[in-house]
Amino acid sequence: MTPRARFSPSPTGPFHVGGARTALFNWLFARHEGGAFLLRNEDTDRARSSDHWLEGILDGLRWLGMDWDEEIMRQSERSEEHLAAARQLVEGGQAYWCDCTREAIEARKGPGGGYDGFCRDRGLGPGDDRAIRFAVPREGATTVTDVLRGTPTFENATIDDFVIVRRGDAPMFVLANVVDDEFQRITHVIRGEEHLSTTPKYLLIRRALGLGTDPAFAHLPLIVNERREKLSKRRDKVQLLSYRDEGYLPEALRNYLALLGWAPREGEEIATLETMVEQFRLEDVSRSPAMFDVKKLNHFNGHYIRELGAGEFAAAARPFVEPAVERFDPELFTQVAPLAQTRVDRLADVPELLGFLFSDRVEFDEASWEKGIAKNEWSADVLRDAAAAYVEAAWETEALKDTTVAIGERHGLKLGKAQAPIRVAVTGRTGAPRLCGSLAALGRETTLQRVNGALERI
RNA sequence: GCCCCCAUGGUGUAGCGGUUAGCACGCGAGCCUUUCACGCUCGUAGGGAGAGUUCGAGUCUCUCUGGGGGUACCA
């Protein structure tokens, strides 16, 4: 039987990096096994779900390079099937109608307690203000067979009778899950560890429904923050597409995400999609929570940025630079983009680096001004000298270098030192692309303007 | 409270009873260098605690401790 995995997000918010990782592992598994990767839109929470969020999820999947098989299943269109299953359970005495309110339950059991089975034997029929609960066997235990975690076993007595259909004929998550996994003939349920403790409920429903062979489960380790808590949308930066907006490359993010709980068998962490597909095995996935480490992500992104061809890099960076500068010049940008390629980890950092070439004035970074100009009493002399020498100099990188070396020699300075005040005068900062190439790109007129401007500022 | 999961340097991991505990990120130093980067080299730091099994344990068992997840008429 060919394996069939699924990613089943609920479209109730921006696509989450944790969801992306789950999708990726499902996808890698399916592709490695030559199986199917299916998508299911779990929109049973009608109040919170929207197609807008679904679009974001699909966008994110495509961006990361994942494709899917067959048509996307929309869970809300299958409520008839879910309700039929619930009806079957009620008829079989494995589920029952319940009219208890939250308040009534708390009044009986005190706050925080679970459901007490009050309605189990009351023989209630259907009603608009009634829900259907699953009658969990009072005896026995339910064992989950998990590829990663062995056989966690849950005493049935510790599981409360849970709701499978809400008031108003709205099927709940576990029920819909069981019915739809069966319908889609899912063989492998690969999802986050937060679902492990609801899995016995899933299994209990399957048994009660008389379904055949259970799917295999793999509960992936959670992705946590620096405080070791599950990534939360309130505290942590979890929106997948916000990474795209900051200039992370999909191959970098995808590679990094794959490493959260998994490592290629042989050595290299930097791996192509093909390699990952080839090497991915579910049983190699780690069990312990993994922290989302932006520093490492940045390193990966920098690596992939450097792997781009010059033209590719310019094309990728352009959308970040164009809107961020005063007057964008596409030709000039193509010419100078390589100056930035080894200097950034994120494309969104390019404008800060090259902005001086596309602006009418220099924005001085004060720390740079201090270090490059104010601190050294000879700065003014060098700048005056430069202002004179650059009037006559041939305007081309190599010639400019010779000219600048000569300026330094006249003041007893090596190029490395002599260029510092000039760099700050022209770019506003101390760490920047190579000076002479930058001057060549900037042009004689602007260069002179800025050198003189700095002289006035001293 | 109850249930379940997890535990190798700061972080992500390799190891599957015998290794000087490997790799990557980070951090530090050096080299390279037109500053800053990139790149390269070296360094830094580790199996939560305690019992047991064994000739031998990060690897197997148990207890404890710590962390996390779940416990909704959310998914």
Side-chain angles (χ1 to χ4, degrees):
Chain A
M1 187 166 54
T2 75
R4 293 167 66 83
R6 45 82 163 175
F7 176 55
S8 51
S10 64
T12 55
F15 194 25
H16 193 284
V17 290
R21 202 273 311 250
T22 301
L24 181 59
F25 280 30
N26 272 283
W27 185 88
L28 286 171
F29 168 78
R31 293 296 170 256
H32 175 86
E33 300 286 331
F37 174 66
L38 312 180
L39 244 40
R40 184 158 73 222
N41 180 16
E42 301 220 336
D43 57 347
T44 51
D45 183 346
R46 305 301 287 273
R48 295 197 300 147
S49 298
S50 116
D51 280 354
H52 164 72
W53 298 124
L54 206 226
E55 277 314 312
I57 291 167
L58 301 183
D59 232 26
L61 292 176
R62 287 189 210 101
W63 181 60
L64 289 178
M66 287 180 255
D67 55 348
W68 52 89
D69 305 307
E70 304 178 18
E71 207 141 310
I72 299 174
M73 170 184 286
R74 181 185 283 271
Q75 197 160 58
S76 59
E77 286 173 356
R78 294 191 24 89
S79 50
E80 271 321 305
E81 284 78 359
H82 306 146
L83 293 174
R87 228 174 288 127
Q88 180 190 332
L89 293 175
V90 171
E91 280 159 17
Q94 291 139 315
Y96 57 91
W97 290 91
C98 168
D99 66 356
C100 296
T101 59
R102 178 92 239 147
E103 298 72 49
I105 297 168
E106 281 185 11
R108 284 198 300 273
K109 288 201 59 177
Y115 185 66
D116 56 1
F118 184 75
C119 296
R120 194 193 270 217
D121 301 312
R122 290 175 70 203
L124 258 30
D128 288 345
D129 58 346
R130 291 176 185 174
I132 301 177
R133 285 182 185 273
F134 186 82
V136 178
R138 296 244 152 95
E139 314 261 295
T142 303
T143 296
V144 178
T145 303
D146 189 288
V147 179
L148 308 178
R149 293 164 205 282
T151 53
T153 299
F154 300 75
E155 291 295 329
N156 293 154
T158 65
I159 304 171
D160 297 320
D161 286 358
F162 53 94
V163 172
I164 54 176
V165 177
R166 275 179 284 172
R167 175 185 320 136
D169 284 344
M172 292 275 291
F173 163 71
V174 244
L175 207 222
N177 238 260
V178 170
V179 174
D180 292 341
D181 279 344
E182 180 68 12
F183 180 75
Q184 287 187 296
R185 307 194 319 281
I186 299 302
T187 62
H188 294 258
V189 175
I190 303 164
R191 34 138 65 156
E193 200 210 298
E194 68 266 30
H195 293 288
L196 181 55
S197 32
T198 74
T199 307
K201 299 178 184 175
Y202 178 107
L203 259 11
L204 253 8
I205 294 176
R206 280 192 67 91
R207 306 273 138 79
L209 250 19
L211 301 177
T213 316
D214 295 333
F217 293 93
H219 287 95
L220 308 174
L222 255 23
I223 300 178
V224 299
N225 60 24
E226 46 294 314
R227 297 162 62 182
R228 305 247 114 215
E229 302 162 322
K230 184 167 93 159
L231 247 37
S232 98
K233 44 180 168 286
R234 240 188 63 239
R235 264 192 315 274
D236 308 304
K237 208 178 78 188
V238 297
Q239 295 189 27
L240 179 74
L241 294 178
S242 74
Y243 287 90
R244 179 224 257 165
D245 297 341
E246 287 173 15
Y248 288 92
L249 301 177
E251 48 273 46
L253 196 60
R254 170 221 283 159
N255 195 158
Y256 178 68
L257 249 20
L259 259 27
L260 256 22
W262 179 76
R265 283 229 132 224
E266 346 241 302
E268 280 308 297
E269 288 189 326
I270 302 272
T272 62
L273 240 207
E274 292 67 41
T275 308
M276 293 197 279
V277 166
E278 191 185 313
Q279 297 196 17
F280 187 85
R281 300 193 317 173
L282 255 193
E283 52 272 38
D284 291 339
V285 173
S286 151
R287 286 172 299 269
S288 36
M291 191 189 89
F292 192 90
D293 182 0
V294 186
K295 283 197 184 144
K296 188 152 181 173
L297 206 213
N298 286 343
H299 175 263
F300 273 53
N301 204 48
H303 171 88
Y304 280 103
I305 281 179
R306 261 149 244 136
E307 258 188 3
L308 259 23
E312 291 173 317
F313 175 72
R318 179 170 172 168
F320 291 84
V321 178
E322 190 163 358
V325 299
E326 284 173 23
R327 36 173 187 75
F328 185 75
D329 176 341
E331 220 166 291
L332 177 62
F333 181 67
T334 309
Q335 183 195 331
V336 300
L339 294 174
Q341 194 168 359
T342 58
R343 275 166 251 262
V344 296
D345 282 339
R346 303 143 72 234
L347 298 175
D349 294 333
V350 177
E352 187 180 322
L353 214 54
L354 298 182
F356 72 93
L357 289 162
F358 305 95
S359 167
D360 289 326
R361 17 178 213 91
V362 190
E363 280 180 42
F364 292 104
D365 166 60
E366 283 311 321
S368 295
W369 177 271
E370 174 60 32
K371 185 164 172 242
I373 294 184
K375 199 182 71 183
N376 301 313
E377 68 293 346
W378 44 262
S379 296
D381 294 336
V382 168
L383 287 174
R384 260 188 292 274
D385 197 342
Y390 289 158
V391 173
E392 297 292 320
W395 213 258
E396 174 273 324
T397 305
E398 276 310 305
L400 277 166
K401 185 181 167 188
D402 295 340
T403 306
T404 310
V405 167
I407 294 172
E409 279 169 357
R410 265 175 252 138
H411 300 272
L413 298 166
K414 286 197 169 171
L415 180 54
K417 283 233 155 199
Q419 66 172 347
I422 303 172
R423 177 194 316 287
V424 173
V426 170
T427 70
R429 50 188 57 245
T430 196
R434 305 189 121 202
L435 181 66
C436 299
S438 300
L439 296 186
L442 237 203
R444 188 195 307 273
E445 197 184 328
T446 312
T447 300
L448 289 173
Q449 248 171 40
R450 292 186 181 183
V451 171
N452 287 313
L455 242 11
E456 282 166 32
R457 194 175 192 263
I458 292 177

